[in-house]
Amino acid sequence: MPDFPTVGPSAADAAVRADTLLCADRQFGDSAAIDQRNLARFRLGLAMLARKDGTDAPALRTTAARTDERLRPLLYDPVLRHCFEDDILRLENGTLDRGALGAHLAGLPVTDASSTGPCERLTRPHRRAWPGLGDAWILTEPAPRGTADGKLGARLMELYRGALADSRAPGPVAPTDAARATLREGAELLVALMPETGASVLRHVSMVGFARRESREGPLQSMSGGDPLPSSLLLAPERCATPWLAAESLLHEGSHLKLFDALRTGSVVRNATEQVPIPWRTGSWTVIRVFVALHFYVHLLVLRAAAATAGAAVRRRFGPPPPAEALDEPTPGTPAARQGRYRTGAERARYLAGRVLSLPDEALTENGHRLARLLLTTLRLVDADAPPPRDRPAAAGPRPGPVGPGGTLQRVTPVDACALPALGQLLVSTAGSARMHWLNSRAWTVYSLCDGRDLDSLYAAYARAAGLSAGSAEAGRHVSDSVRHLVASGLVTHAH
């Protein structure tokens, strides 16, 4: 974990340091690391689905064997990613027979070595959203060639309308040349203001669609796909009226997509149903939704700090920044609407930060504490009135039962695994399981040593491998904690 700064630099320095900090953490900030973990999860998931899906197992295994460069366009294709997540969920729930992902993959050319995804190849004309800054493409009505393409295109439009919550919605709006130019300028402005964060969030966007939708909350401004339309964002054409509007929308939705990808490989809360009251909205939000909102508001405040200190060259090229932020209004009848509060990003970020700080230690996982510290420390760099982060150890949570001193420890076989040595992580699943398990470097080392030896031998071998004193309390704690979780997860057996 990076060493988070606590001093208050000048406004310009604060924006630069906040931009750097948002991309420093290997779990939640570093897009390359997030990408590596998701590719590993995709590769292992394909192998798990192939165990269950006899019909399409060859296509699933062939795809799993692709290089990262050839696998990435498939993982971040909106339809294939949606199929993958849905199939994995059904596999975990024991309801999967034949998966939708395998059926689509079986229809792809076996020798396909394209750097574009299957849905992208259906678009006519084919246009990149921000050439030179990333591979995102602009959605148009699909123009399929052949039966397999037709099914893929039809599913893409189903997901598009599902994301809009309107099965009768018209197809995507064809952007004007001016709108496309402003979209590209918005991406360039975002990277100019926040070089590291801008490039990072754009990396998580595969598809950009233009759409119109009316709802009780008003007309659509922008939205990110998430589960309904993965790796995608939708914009009202009016959001491309100026580069500044486009840049804010790209940061808003791109940061959501980045966090979505990060959360796929590391949970942050222990109780997914715990609720937090939100004074500018009716009802309450789950803790994970609080994190998602805080994550966005922190990014927004860093963008505005960078805009406020932007140099003359930026202003000459893109025009002056908007004079004031334009957040959505509090819902009528809420405490915020009655009291005239929580109408700025800073007010909302402070409130959400305070709610995160008030959570009991055991409410968050180790990753949850990590994300909270990252967001609260970044927030303090651009808002001196925000509550400061505090050091608190992550609660261990429910501990698996103890492992007795006798007997031997043996890895369960066969397994499918993906090793990420540069990140110190191993992703593994046993043939009899429908779940993936992430092992950190300590657990990975202990796991590798569970080759039939007893616990005492394991303590000594781990101490040597970790460079710790034999019999040290630290080595004993690492081994005991790792063994308990390995046995509880079914990766290791303890035979007496």
Side-chain angles (χ1 to χ4, degrees):
M1 187 181 301
D3 181 18
F4 296 116
T6 56
V7 297
S10 70
D13 286 346
V16 171
R17 293 175 67 181
D19 174 43
T20 300
L21 187 58
L22 285 174
C23 296
D25 185 80
R26 300 300 295 275
Q27 188 70 32
F28 295 104
D30 184 340
S31 285
I34 294 171
D35 191 52
Q36 288 178 48
R37 285 194 298 273
N38 274 289
L39 284 169
R41 180 174 174 267
F42 190 42
R43 197 183 302 280
L44 185 64
L46 289 167
M48 294 168 63
L49 293 172
R51 297 181 204 144
K52 181 69 175 178
D53 190 340
T55 303
D56 298 315
L60 290 162
R61 292 195 178 98
T62 298
T63 304
R66 293 186 178 206
T67 63
D68 284 356
E69 292 73 22
R70 294 183 63 193
L71 198 61
R72 193 178 194 280
L74 303 182
L75 169 62
Y76 293 102
D77 179 272
V79 170
L80 297 192
R81 179 70 175 269
H82 183 276
C83 290
F84 173 75
E85 301 297 351
D86 188 59
D87 286 353
I88 289 294
L89 182 61
R90 289 195 291 146
L91 181 66
E92 291 178 351
N93 293 335
T95 60
L96 181 71
D97 183 14
R98 184 186 182 190
L101 177 62
H104 282 301
L105 291 176
L108 298 180
V110 175
T111 58
D112 176 33
S114 173
S115 62
T116 60
C119 284
E120 181 181 359
R121 292 199 292 272
L122 300 181
T123 60
R124 304 285 188 279
H126 178 268
R127 292 186 173 117
R128 295 286 190 189
W130 34 79
L133 294 178
D135 296 331
W137 48 279
I138 295 177
L139 174 66
T140 59
E141 194 79 37
R145 299 172 179 173
T147 303
D149 279 358
K151 292 179 179 178
L152 192 69
R155 185 57 177 153
L156 176 60
M157 287 298 95
E158 286 177 3
L159 296 180
Y160 167 79
R161 293 183 173 93
L164 293 174
D166 185 354
S167 61
R168 295 177 295 180
V173 175
T176 64
D177 290 344
R180 290 190 297 106
T182 304
L183 175 68
R184 184 182 66 251
E185 289 176 345
E188 292 168 351
L189 172 58
L190 178 59
V191 173
L193 293 172
M194 302 171 66
E196 297 193 43
T197 303
S200 177
V201 299
L202 293 178
R203 178 174 179 154
H204 294 268
V205 182
S206 291
M207 186 186 83
V208 179
F210 288 86
R212 286 191 171 91
R213 182 196 66 183
E214 291 287 342
S215 68
R216 288 179 298 178
E217 287 77 28
L220 169 73
Q221 298 296 317
S222 67
M223 64 179 293
S224 50
D227 279 318
L229 193 62
S231 306
S232 306
L233 64 84
L234 301 179
L235 297 174
E238 293 74 19
R239 295 302 293 181
C240 287
T242 72
W244 291 93
L245 279 175
E248 183 174 310
S249 294
L250 294 178
L251 180 66
H252 183 169
E253 309 305 346
S255 66
H256 284 336
L257 292 176
K258 178 178 177 178
L259 185 58
F260 176 88
D261 284 338
L263 292 175
R264 282 298 182 191
T265 62
S267 62
V268 298
V269 299
R270 299 194 190 280
N271 181 359
T273 62
E274 184 174 354
Q275 301 283 310
V276 173
I278 303 299
W280 59 92
R281 292 288 178 260
T282 56
S284 299
W285 290 352
T286 61
V287 174
I288 189 60
R289 187 174 176 185
V290 168
F291 269 107
V292 170
L294 178 59
H295 185 261
F296 157 64
Y297 283 120
V298 169
H299 280 73
L300 179 65
L301 292 175
V302 175
L303 175 67
R304 288 180 178 158
T309 59
V314 170
R315 294 168 184 261
R316 280 196 302 269
R317 181 180 176 192
F318 300 105
E325 62 185 16
L327 287 184
D328 51 351
E329 290 290 320
T331 303
T334 59
R338 293 193 302 269
Q339 300 164 10
R341 300 180 62 198
Y342 303 112
R343 294 177 180 272
T344 69
E347 285 182 298
R348 293 181 185 182
R350 291 171 203 150
Y351 175 82
L352 296 171
R355 298 303 305 196
V356 167
L357 285 168
S358 69
L359 292 170
D361 289 348
E362 62 272 15
L364 304 180
T365 65
E366 181 179 352
N367 278 330
H369 286 280
R370 182 175 188 152
L371 179 58
R373 181 162 165 74
L374 168 64
L375 294 179
L376 270 61
T377 305
T378 307
L379 180 60
R380 283 279 286 184
L381 284 172
V382 293
D383 180 11
D385 294 326
R390 72 173 188 270
D391 290 319
R392 56 181 185 179
R399 291 169 64 90
V403 175
T408 58
L409 295 157
Q410 180 67 56
R411 294 188 300 276
V412 172
T413 57
V415 297
D416 290 305
C418 287
L420 298 173
L423 300 179
Q425 291 181 299
L426 177 71
L427 180 61
V428 62
S429 175
T430 65
S433 170
R435 295 193 176 275
M436 305 182 199
H437 303 278
W438 286 96
L439 305 184
N440 60 23
S441 57
R442 293 173 183 171
W444 185 358
T445 302
V446 172
Y447 176 66
S448 69
L449 294 170
C450 291
D451 53 5
R453 69 185 75 203
D454 61 29
L455 195 56
D456 287 340
S457 298
L458 182 57
Y459 283 129
Y462 176 83
R464 288 194 298 272
L468 299 172
S469 300
S472 70
E474 185 178 8
R477 184 174 65 255
H478 292 177
V479 171
S480 297
D481 288 347
S482 296
V483 167
R484 274 195 290 266
H485 284 89
L486 290 168
V487 171
S489 63
L491 296 175
V492 167
T493 60
H494 183 216
H496 292 279

